[in-house]
């Protein structure tokens, strides 16, 4: 990738700069380039792009630390432009898509776990109350027959159990008008 950055620096100790290192201008540029490469290599590109001011300050501190002994002070560093090659953009796009799919699957898994918990609660309710299960079965049949052309096949025992008297027996209430002996 191509990174366009600018460094603002000045010589605060001219004698030190002239005597400590030959060609201090070129060396300062090389130090800045090396620090930039190190930072890019060690950080996530997305973080570099989204937090430019923090990256600028990190670079300034790093370059200032390396050049302070030469009598050179670094005022500021600014990353002006980052040109990302198309192949890298494609790879970043695929990575972002994979992250979104991962998050969607985690959310779906959580929803399915919650639904399964509700099914367990319903199963316990139905196990304790056979009449409720019977009413639920009748409701399911009603809901499916509301659509035109729906054909429902049900076992004869289920049809027999839909007799109101059978439903009351299942619910444990006995038959209506039953005379106690």
């Amino acid at each position: 990738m191509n990174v366009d950055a600018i460094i603002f620096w000045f010589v605060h100790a001219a004698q030190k700069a002239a005597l400590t290192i030959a060609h201090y201008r070129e060396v300062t540029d090389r130090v800045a380039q090396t620090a930039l490469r190190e930072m890019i290599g060690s950080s996530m590109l997305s973080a570099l792009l989204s937090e430019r001011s923090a990256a600028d300050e990190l670079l300034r501190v790093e370059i200032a630390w390396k050049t302070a002994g030469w009598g050179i002070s670094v005022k500021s560093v600014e990353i002006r432009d980052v040109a990302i090659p198309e192949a890298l953009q494609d790879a970043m796009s695929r990575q972002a898509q994979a992250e979104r799919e991962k998050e969607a699957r985690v959310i779906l898994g959580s929803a399915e776990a919650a639904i399964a918990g509700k099914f367990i609660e319903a199963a316990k309710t139905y196990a304790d109350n056979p009449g409720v299960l019977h009413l639920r079965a009748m409701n399911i049949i009603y809901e499916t027959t509301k659509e035109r052309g729906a054909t429902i096949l049900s076992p004869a025992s289920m049809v027999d159990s839909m007799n109101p008297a059978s439903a009351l027996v299942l619910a444990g209430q006995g038959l209506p008008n039953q005379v106690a002996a």
Side-chain angles (χ1 to χ4, degrees), residues 110-155:
S110 297
E112 287 181 359
I115 291 168
K118 294 294 182 183
F119 281 149
I120 290 170
E121 286 179 35
K124 288 178 183 175
T125 300
Y126 294 146
D128 294 339
N129 301 304
V132 173
L133 178 61
H134 180 73
L135 291 173
R136 177 67 180 133
M138 290 172 58
N139 182 263
I140 290 171
I141 291 171
Y142 170 75
E143 290 295 325
T144 56
T145 57
K146 286 194 322 187
E147 294 184 27
R148 290 183 144 187
T151 302
I152 298 175
L153 299 174
S154 55

Side-chain angles (χ1 to χ4, degrees), residues 11 13-28 30-31 66-67 69-72:
V11 177
Q15 186 177 8
K16 199 173 191 180
L19 297 176
T20 306
I21 190 157
H23 310 291
Y24 64 86
R25 288 182 177 152
E26 292 174 17
V27 174
T28 303
R30 298 283 187 260
V31 167
K66 291 179 180 179
T67 60
W70 305 335
I72 297 172

Side-chain angles (χ1 to χ4, degrees), residues 64-140:
W65 179 78
K66 291 179 180 179
T67 60
W70 305 335
I72 297 172
S73 295
V74 178
K75 190 82 168 160
S76 70
V77 177
E78 295 177 13
I79 298 173
R80 295 171 58 176
D81 188 33
V82 179
I84 303 169
E86 195 170 315
L88 183 56
Q89 288 179 10
D90 290 343
M92 291 171 65
S93 175
R94 285 192 304 274
Q95 180 183 7
Q97 178 66 26
E99 287 293 324
R100 286 190 296 273
E101 287 178 14
K102 174 185 168 186
E103 188 175 328
R105 288 181 183 184
V106 167
I107 292 169
L108 179 62
S110 297
E112 287 181 359
I115 291 168
K118 294 294 182 183
F119 281 149
I120 290 170
E121 286 179 35
K124 288 178 183 175
T125 300
Y126 294 146
D128 294 339
N129 301 304
V132 173
L133 178 61
H134 180 73
L135 291 173
R136 177 67 180 133
M138 290 172 58
N139 182 263
I140 290 171

